Amino acid sequence: MVAKLHRVHIPNVGEGFVRVGSGVPYADASLIKPAGFNVGDFIRLGGKTFVLGKSGAAFSSIGLGVKNGLFQGVAYAAVSVAAAKGDKEVTLAIAATDGKAGTGAIEADDFAGGEIVFFTNGADTPQRRGIVGNTACVAGGSVTVTFTLDSPLSIALTTSDHGEAMQNPWSYLVQDNEIGNPVVGVPMAVATAALQYIWVQTWGLTWVSPQAAVGIAGATGVYWRHDGSIDVENADAYVSDQYAGFVLAETSAHAQAAPFFMLQVCP
């Protein structure tokens, strides 16, 4: 793949970048992480965006979207140890229903690349931070986990405050028929097993398996179906309300063919 980043200055307007590039990250899924990348890292090639993900199970289709197969991870949890303004570590009380399996078990750095939010008691001051790493705990709840943040706290936390956390949404990719699992991209290769690193497209011109009504006479806005294909809005109970993008070219007869569309998951 080839890409160039050009810095430009437009007089009386400002500075910007022109992304000139083509190609896609076409590598096979692998148990070996690509050098220089972590799960959740993005690259931009021309008008297309890709993210490095990790499979939660094997999947055989690159014509269907892949989904985040994880639960939120930590629901409304009490802060266990007061944290001062400027701290980058916060400890939360973990419930028996937390963790990716809902059993209370959390592995070390399970939440790396994820997101956390803290709520100050009695004030509308949520603090949103990325997660660098976390300690581990066993199943059953009534234990604590310490989260390392990517930026320091701007507001001190007390044991009256709470937090919620989710894992990296590209760290457990699945293809299933669960309509409640959100699509987070389109895979560039098949995954032959769980725990394989794989590139996923999240934005730009692409192709995904369409249902029959897609691309007919102005039906250009499309939504994700339960199986990761695309369909028109409210076609039936299997179509979610998660917007997928829009068709870029119909056939001359305005009939469904194999529409290319503008994927719009994460720019």
Side-chain angles (χ1 to χ4, degrees):
M1 53 189 176
V2 177
K4 296 180 181 179
L5 190 64
H6 297 281
R7 182 178 178 181
V8 296
H9 175 76
I10 303 175
N12 302 317
V13 176
E15 291 190 343
F17 291 95
V18 178
R19 293 184 174 92
V20 180
S22 63
V24 299
Y26 54 83
D28 292 337
S30 173
L31 293 172
I32 301 174
K33 184 172 65 174
F37 292 96
N38 291 312
V39 173
D41 285 352
F42 284 82
I43 59 173
R44 186 72 179 265
L45 296 172
K48 300 177 182 179
T49 303
F50 305 89
V51 63
L52 183 65
K54 197 172 187 179
S55 61
F59 52 81
S60 59
S61 175
I62 57 176
L64 299 173
V66 286
K67 305 175 183 180
N68 174 18
L70 296 173
F71 298 121
Q72 177 175 311
V74 175
Y76 198 65
V79 174
S80 294
V81 180
K85 177 179 179 179
D87 282 356
K88 294 181 69 174
E89 290 189 346
V90 177
T91 301
L92 298 179
I94 302 302
T97 52
D98 286 335
K100 61 187 177 186
T103 63
I106 293 176
E107 299 175 10
D109 296 332
D110 243 357
F111 284 78
E115 196 79 6
I116 195 166
V117 59
F118 301 107
F119 304 104
T120 307
N121 186 40
D124 186 17
T125 54
Q127 298 182 79
R128 297 164 291 274
R129 299 291 185 270
I131 301 172
V132 175
N134 63 269
T135 58
C137 70
V138 297
S142 301
V143 290
T144 61
V145 166
T146 299
F147 295 87
T148 301
L149 315 180
D150 64 355
S151 303
L153 295 173
S154 54
I155 302 171
L157 298 174
T158 73
T159 53
S160 297
D161 301 328
H162 293 78
E164 298 194 32
M166 65 170 286
Q167 293 170 278
N168 188 319
W170 291 280
S171 65
Y172 195 86
L173 302 176
V174 298
Q175 282 181 338
D176 60 21
N177 290 326
E178 175 53 61
I179 195 170
N181 285 344
V183 174
V184 292
V186 180
M188 302 306 298
V190 300
T192 57
L195 305 180
Q196 289 185 329
Y197 297 95
I198 187 169
W199 286 103
V200 175
Q201 186 174 353
T202 64
W203 194 271
L205 177 58
T206 190
W207 185 94
V208 172
S209 181
Q211 296 297 318
V214 172
I216 294 181
T220 56
V222 293
Y223 294 76
W224 294 108
R225 200 171 171 84
H226 70 300
D227 60 358
S229 62
I230 52 176
D231 207 341
V232 296
E233 185 178 14
N234 298 325
D236 55 42
Y238 294 104
V239 182
S240 78
D241 62 358
Q242 183 190 355
Y243 187 65
F246 57 92
V247 175
L248 284 165
E250 295 182 356
T251 63
S252 60
H254 302 288
Q256 192 271 347
F260 291 95
F261 89 113
M262 179 62 72
L263 174 67
Q264 294 183 315
V265 172
C266 189

